[in-house]
Amino acid sequence: MKAIRFEKFGGPEVLEYKDIEIGKPGPKEVLVKNLSVGLNYIDVYHRTGLYPIELPSGLGLEASGVVEEIGSEVSLFKVGDRVSHASAPISGYSEKQIMPEEKLVTVPEGISDEIASCILLKGITSEYLLHRSYAVKKGDKVEANDEIGIVFTNESTGKTILKFNIFNELKPENPATWLAR
């Protein structure tokens, strides 16, 4: 199986595309064939060592794909399910990866693999900034540096808790250039 790996911190030149063995999933783990990977600036922080991680390492916190194999105690997923994640282990830049069952979410019908692979970390970040860092209230002004639309819904009632759209003419640079830093 092919994966992006690195053995020392540094620029993009430390990244290697190589064959690796990942083994079989443990009792509460899932083997996922990645179909799309989210690029995030945190990947640069991991690669450069700004956010130190254990080496050697893979790269990429977000990916979506299809379940290929499940561990003996996995109850939430079955082979063929579409799943996504936005968390460690850091190994999204790979053809396949083994993930703990509790770190995966089912990708709903109608959501593309590309959207599923890049939206979860943004949602986690939005929730943190809007509710934990500072609880946004009606009348507060929220600014962002990109066009976004967010809807927070109470899962038990189905009622919208917070909904807003932000449209800004500032456009971020191409995310693919982040890896080149």
Side-chain angles (χ1 to χ4, degrees), residues 166-178:
I166 299 171
F167 298 96
N168 192 322
E169 294 188 23
L170 297 174
K171 299 290 184 193
E173 63 184 292
N174 180 343
T177 63
W178 296 348

Side-chain angles (χ1 to χ4, degrees), residues 85-172:
H85 69 86
S87 63
I90 303 171
S91 57
Y93 294 13
S94 59
E95 292 177 325
K96 299 179 182 184
Q97 65 187 125
I98 293 176
M99 292 295 298
E101 176 184 32
E102 73 272 4
K103 301 285 186 171
L104 295 171
V105 296
T106 301
V107 176
E109 194 66 37
I111 303 293
S112 71
D113 295 318
E114 293 80 10
I115 294 296
S117 70
C118 69
I119 199 69
L120 291 178
L121 195 56
K122 285 132 192 85
I124 291 167
T125 302
S126 297
E127 188 277 336
Y128 172 79
L129 292 173
L130 295 171
H131 293 285
R132 298 176 197 217
S133 179
Y134 170 79
V136 174
K137 302 176 296 304
K138 185 175 181 176
D140 287 347
K141 182 178 179 181
V142 177
E143 295 184 26
N145 65 354
D146 195 8
E147 295 179 12
I148 59 173
I150 297 176
V151 177
F152 289 97
T153 304
N154 181 314
E155 288 186 16
S156 63
T157 65
K159 293 187 178 188
T160 298
I161 299 169
L162 176 66
K163 177 179 181 180
F164 62 91
N165 292 302
I166 299 171
F167 298 96
N168 192 322
E169 294 188 23
L170 297 174
K171 299 290 184 193

Side-chain angles (χ1 to χ4, degrees), residues 8-120:
K8 63 182 179 178
F9 298 119
E13 69 280 355
V14 303
L15 300 176
E16 298 179 273
Y17 184 61
K18 60 196 307 184
D19 288 308
I20 65 165
E21 294 292 325
I22 61 170
K24 295 273 198 188
K28 295 182 182 227
E29 295 178 325
V30 176
L31 175 63
V32 178
K33 177 182 180 182
N34 288 333
L35 300 176
S36 182
V37 175
L39 302 178
N40 291 286
Y41 211 81
I42 195 170
D43 302 336
V44 174
Y45 295 162
H46 288 147
R47 177 183 40 81
T48 62
L50 181 62
Y51 291 2
I53 56 175
E54 189 174 317
L55 297 177
S57 180
L59 201 58
L61 286 174
E62 283 187 294
S64 66
V66 176
V67 173
E68 281 201 340
E69 189 175 342
I70 61 173
S72 60
E73 297 177 26
V74 169
S75 62
L76 299 175
F77 304 101
K78 65 185 181 314
V79 172
D81 283 350
R82 293 178 60 228
V83 295
S84 189
H85 69 86
S87 63
I90 303 171
S91 57
Y93 294 13
S94 59
E95 292 177 325
K96 299 179 182 184
Q97 65 187 125
I98 293 176
M99 292 295 298
E101 176 184 32
E102 73 272 4
K103 301 285 186 171
L104 295 171
V105 296
T106 301
V107 176
E109 194 66 37
I111 303 293
S112 71
D113 295 318
E114 293 80 10
I115 294 296
S117 70
C118 69
I119 199 69
L120 291 178

